Amino acid sequence: MRRKLAAGNWKMNGTAAALAELDTLAAALSGDGPQVVICPPAPLLYRAAEKAKGTGIAIGAQDCHMQEAGAFTGDISAAMIADTGARFVIVGHSERRDAHEESNRDVRAKAQRAWDAGLTAIICIGEALDDREADNTLDIIAGQLAGSLPDHATADTTVIAYEPIWAIGTGKVPTLAQIVEVHDFIRAELSHRLGAEAAESITLLYGGSVKPENAAEIFRAENVDGALVGGASLKAADFAPIIDALAAS
Ligand code: PEP
């Protein structure tokens, strides 16, 4: 059985006061539901991890550096993230691939550092609108997956998030058929790389404008095991119904 997972990416939103949302979310969760991960901004990681203890909510970071340590002013290492009590880290989010010019090679190195620190890497891949319109989506996905995923991925170390860039923060969502096509393709690519058993065990998330209103439809896809949620994860009142829809899927 693959684990179902709902991850919330708060991006650069929230100060300490926002952590009250964790209490509200924890109160709304049932014990045996999907794995829930909240990825707050880095300065909140330690406090979030302390607050989330015993709630069933895990904490994740939004990025880590590709080197173990050293003269990288302003960056944070995977080991530092683990030291806060966080257990996950997002790597290769399209906003970082774009604004920080991160390559597949960088993302792969970050994922490897995350693994080395005992974190689960949520590795993001997804096509731009131009790629989609030129019918290049599956080629882009294949290239990103091949380049961003270190060897020997397992269900414990790795979650893959398919996030079409044109759907992030835009309110535009692919059709269910488009989501199914890409998720089935990712599963098949993983199977070629890792073997069928390992590929079947890895959790695949869809991300891009997931809301309480569309979550149940998206979770109908067999190879969608959860969601990476941006805007709708900031408030527990929005995120909790998405988690409920995942639990019911
Ligand atoms: C994201 O940032 O990963 C994301 C999916 O954002 P949103 O849900 O706001 O589209």
Side-chain angles (χ1 to χ4, degrees):
M1 270 293 277
R2 284 193 292 274
R3 68 175 160 181
K4 293 182 181 179
L5 192 156
N9 174 13
W10 284 4
K11 310 193 187 191
M12 198 173 73
N13 294 293
T15 55
L19 295 177
E21 292 297 325
L22 291 180
D23 296 325
T24 315
L25 188 61
L29 296 180
S30 70
D32 55 358
Q35 166 83 71
V36 175
V37 182
I38 293 290
C39 302
L44 297 181
L45 283 173
Y46 176 74
R47 275 178 287 188
E50 287 293 302
K51 196 181 242 308
K53 274 184 184 158
T55 65
I57 300 172
I59 300 301
Q62 299 172 15
D63 180 47
C64 67
H65 199 272
M66 70 186 90
Q67 299 293 339
E68 193 175 356
F72 302 103
T73 302
D75 285 312
I76 56 173
S77 73
M80 291 170 186
I81 291 165
D83 193 45
T84 68
R87 290 172 36 215
F88 289 77
V89 60
I90 298 169
V91 293
H93 192 283
S94 60
E95 288 156 12
R96 294 209 56 95
R97 288 180 186 264
D98 180 25
H100 298 266
E101 297 181 354
E102 290 184 4
S103 65
N104 289 327
R105 193 187 164 102
D106 296 338
V107 175
R108 180 186 172 120
K110 288 176 179 221
Q112 184 67 58
R113 288 291 174 207
W115 294 3
D116 294 347
L119 299 169
T120 298
I122 302 176
I123 301 175
C124 299
I125 55 178
E127 83 285 4
L129 188 57
D130 288 354
D131 303 319
R132 167 66 63 181
E133 287 176 348
D135 215 10
N136 284 336
T137 298
L138 297 185
D139 285 345
I140 295 290
I141 295 299
Q144 289 181 340
L145 197 57
S148 305
L149 182 67
D151 291 333
H152 311 302
T154 69
D156 287 336
T157 60
T158 306
V159 170
I160 306 287
Y162 167 56
E163 298 207 303
I165 298 170
W166 50 275
I168 296 177
T170 59
K172 291 184 192 152
V173 183
T175 64
L176 185 61
Q178 288 172 323
I179 295 174
V180 166
E181 180 188 35
V182 177
H183 278 249
D184 289 358
F185 179 75
I186 294 171
R187 185 80 66 203
E189 291 289 292
L190 289 176
S191 187
H192 293 142
R193 175 107 178 249
L194 307 171
E197 198 177 328
E200 278 300 318
S201 70
I202 290 182
T203 295
L204 303 187
L205 308 182
Y206 167 78
S209 296
V210 178
K211 308 278 180 233
E213 302 75 38
N214 60 20
E217 171 75 0
I218 293 167
F219 296 144
R220 285 177 54 208
E222 188 194 325
N223 277 314
V224 173
D225 307 310
L228 178 53
V229 182
S233 71
L234 292 171
K235 293 285 170 212
D238 295 325
F239 199 31
I242 294 173
I243 298 164
D244 288 343
L246 180 59
S249 69

